[in-house]
């Protein structure tokens, strides 16, 4: 006995399922948009980001003063792509075997290429090797604070580039 396998039309049921799926999509979209508060554009921060972006485009460099506590401070300078490539080559050529040592060396190199003034001491004319020796002479806790400051500086530049790409 052979049975014919056929399709039955459940058009009403199919339409009800499609309507329910469409409604679920609307509800999900409403939940997402109500869950995300409107981002207010801080005009002062927008101006700062656009000024950073403009400096990077026109001067190819951005520098900013920083403070650590009440008595320590200096100036960070953005790094070029060539400097970043040199940093990565130096890290690749290093003989460190642990991830922690490699990360520490990477942080020191980034700081050595970026720190141009520290506590009124001009480091611009010093070589990277001299700057590395300078960092090695500092207490580790201070170097960690400097590293955190540089991370904040780099994050500000990344934010400025994102803002500049869409608003400049």
């Amino acid at each position: 006995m052979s049975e014919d396998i056929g399709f039955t039309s459940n058009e009403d049921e199919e339409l009800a399922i499609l309507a329910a799926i469409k409604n679920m999509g609307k509800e999900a979209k409403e939940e997402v948009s109500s869950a995300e508060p409107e981002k207010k554009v801080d005009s002062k921060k927008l101006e700062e980001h656009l000024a950073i972006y403009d400096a990077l485009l026109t001067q190819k460099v951005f520098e900013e003063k920083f403070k650590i506590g009440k008595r320590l401070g200096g100036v960070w300078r953005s790094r070029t792509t060539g400097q970043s490539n040199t940093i990565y080559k130096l890290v690749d050529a290093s003989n460190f075997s642990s991830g922690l040592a490699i990360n520490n060396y990477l942080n020191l190199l980034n700081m050595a290429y970026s720190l141009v003034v520290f506590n009124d001491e001009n480091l611009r004319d010093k070589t990277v090797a001299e700057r590395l020796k300078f960092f090695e002479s500092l207490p580790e806790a201070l170097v960690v604070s400097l590293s955190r400051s540089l991370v904040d500086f780099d994050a500000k530049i990344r934010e400025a580039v994102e803002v500049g790409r869409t608003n400049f």
Side-chain angles (χ1 to χ4, degrees), residues 3-167:
E3 252 182 65
D4 289 334
I5 300 176
F7 294 99
T8 59
S9 175
N10 293 328
E11 197 170 303
D12 291 337
E13 185 179 347
E14 290 171 358
L15 289 174
I17 291 171
L18 288 174
I21 291 171
K22 186 176 180 181
N23 191 33
M24 284 173 30
K26 283 182 185 176
E27 290 171 358
K29 194 174 189 179
E30 288 170 4
E31 285 178 22
V32 168
S33 51
S34 67
E36 293 177 8
E38 282 187 36
K39 293 181 180 178
K40 294 182 181 177
V41 177
D42 179 2
S43 62
K44 186 177 178 182
K45 193 165 193 150
L46 178 63
E47 284 180 33
E48 179 185 27
H49 282 138
L50 292 177
I52 293 168
Y53 189 70
D54 182 59
L56 290 170
L57 289 177
T58 59
Q59 301 164 22
K60 309 293 186 237
V61 68
F62 171 68
E63 290 187 357
E64 183 177 69
K65 290 182 180 181
F66 69 90
K67 287 286 257 178
I68 297 175
K70 294 180 182 178
R71 300 186 333 193
L72 299 176
V75 176
W76 290 120
R77 179 182 56 206
S78 58
R79 295 174 302 284
T80 66
T81 302
Q83 290 170 330
S84 291
N85 286 338
T86 300
I87 289 168
Y88 294 132
K89 286 177 188 175
L90 290 169
V91 170
D92 286 345
S94 70
N95 291 325
F96 297 114
S97 58
S98 75
L100 187 58
I102 292 169
N103 191 50
N104 186 52
Y105 188 51
L106 177 63
N107 288 338
L108 285 172
L109 287 169
N110 280 324
M111 287 188 293
Y113 274 91
S114 295
L115 188 64
V116 292
V117 176
F118 183 68
N119 274 358
D120 298 326
E121 184 178 347
N122 190 344
L123 304 172
R124 293 175 198 275
D125 296 331
K126 295 196 181 289
T127 66
V128 172
E130 290 171 325
R131 290 182 195 179
L132 282 172
K133 285 187 183 202
F134 169 76
F135 283 112
E136 289 174 359
S137 71
L138 298 175
E140 184 178 11
L142 177 56
V143 173
V144 169
S145 292
L146 285 167
S147 179
R148 287 180 181 152
S149 176
L150 180 58
V151 167
D152 294 342
F153 174 75
D154 287 342
K156 182 185 278 191
I157 290 175
R158 281 190 301 277
E159 289 172 13
V161 169
E162 277 304 307
V163 169
R165 278 180 354 127
T166 57
N167 294 293

